[in-house]
Amino acid sequence: MSELLLLIVYCALLGSVVGFLAGLLGIGGGLIIVPVLSSILLHFNTLPADQVMIAAIATSLASILFTSTSSAIAHHKNGNVPWSLAPWVMVGVALGALISGFMASLLPENIVRIVFAVSVMLIAFKMLYSNKNHSSTEREMPNKGLLTVLTTITGSLSAMIGIGGGALLVPLLTFFSVDMKKAIGCASACGIVIALFGSIGYISSGSHLFALTDGFAGFVYLPALLGIVCTSWFTAPLGAKSTHHLPVSVIKKIFAVLLLAVAANMLLK
């Protein structure tokens, strides 16, 4: 088996896992794709070590375009996408993702990693805490201007590290008393927008560094993208269906533990 074919097989296995998680938790899969794909690209010496992380982030975003589409379709069929709210959230995340994608090669990766990891840990602890201390307080959704600002920041951070936005959008929406399953469905739909606009930025900013003949579209590595998408497209709906068989408290715990594990991994690198 050639190295390229073996790389695609590894990525297909990765895609089967992240697709299910995308559907179940609305995370887009990037939280898992970026660290694992970085290791795969390093193992196969696909490109210089100092460019592996940004290629993994860009490829992750491109794959999320497909995974989130599959997941969002499944959530829509189950009535879990709040379309009265989703368009306003999409405007903000699109703007943030586009800006972040174009600025990708200029950002200090180590600082971004630490800031985001700490933020994710705080979010995870908050979700675990809320499981044990349920509050009946109803918080109103902020006005459209403030919501756009908040979601622009969310979209920017998400595209910066190659995730679909669920890691930040789900806690943000549930904070404002949006039902957990509706928040996950909204995050899946918004993941499409983050992935699309973020990918445009990464492809544009990396187009002068890599050639299509070498398997790259800007910073996006196409063979890895093929491997991930060929399985994640089919496993994402399975994860979406699972939300109807798990209580909200269990979904929150799974989500929070996953965030803690990824954040710890970021800090230890």
Side-chain angles (χ1 to χ4, degrees), residues 61 91-107 148-149 151-161 193-194 196-202 204-205:
L61 274 179
V91 170
V93 297
L95 179 60
L98 187 61
I99 294 171
S100 182
F102 275 110
M103 295 180 62
S105 59
L106 305 176
L107 296 171
T148 300
V149 171
T151 52
T152 297
I153 295 171
T154 299
S156 179
L157 286 172
S158 300
M160 191 183 297
I161 65 162
V193 178
I194 292 174
L196 175 61
F197 285 88
S199 295
I200 290 173
Y202 280 104
S204 299
S205 62

Side-chain angles (χ1 to χ4, degrees), residues 92-265:
V93 297
L95 179 60
L98 187 61
I99 294 171
S100 182
F102 275 110
M103 295 180 62
S105 59
L106 305 176
L107 296 171
E109 187 268 339
N110 287 336
I111 294 177
V112 171
R113 185 198 301 271
I114 293 171
V115 170
F116 185 81
V118 172
S119 300
V120 167
M121 281 188 165
L122 292 174
I123 292 169
F125 280 125
K126 176 65 174 68
M127 295 191 77
L128 287 173
Y129 177 78
S130 65
N131 285 332
K132 298 177 181 178
N133 298 274
H134 179 71
S135 173
S136 60
T137 303
E138 291 289 327
R139 300 184 182 89
E140 291 186 3
M141 189 64 62
N143 62 62
K144 299 302 186 292
L146 178 57
L147 181 62
T148 300
V149 171
L150 292 174
T151 52
T152 297
I153 295 171
T154 299
S156 179
L157 286 172
S158 300
M160 191 183 297
I161 65 162
I163 66 173
L168 298 177
L169 272 177
V170 172
L172 174 65
L173 294 176
T174 54
F175 177 80
F176 290 112
S177 303
V178 175
D179 176 75
M180 181 67 171
K181 292 175 183 177
K182 299 288 185 183
I184 291 173
C186 185
S188 294
C190 290
I192 301 171
V193 178
I194 292 174
L196 175 61
F197 285 88
S199 295
I200 290 173
Y202 280 104
I203 290 172
S204 299
S205 62
S207 59
H208 65 289
L209 296 175
F210 300 102
L212 188 61
T213 53
D214 295 324
F216 287 89
F219 284 114
V220 177
Y221 188 49
L222 298 178
L225 175 63
L226 172 64
I228 294 169
V229 170
C230 74
T231 53
S232 64
W233 177 268
F234 299 101
T235 57
L238 297 178
K241 289 180 181 178
S242 297
T243 61
H244 286 277
H245 304 290
L246 293 173
V248 171
S249 60
V250 173
I251 296 175
K252 281 188 176 182
K253 287 177 182 177
I254 294 172
F255 190 76
V257 170
L258 177 65
L259 293 185
L260 285 173
V262 173
N265 181 64

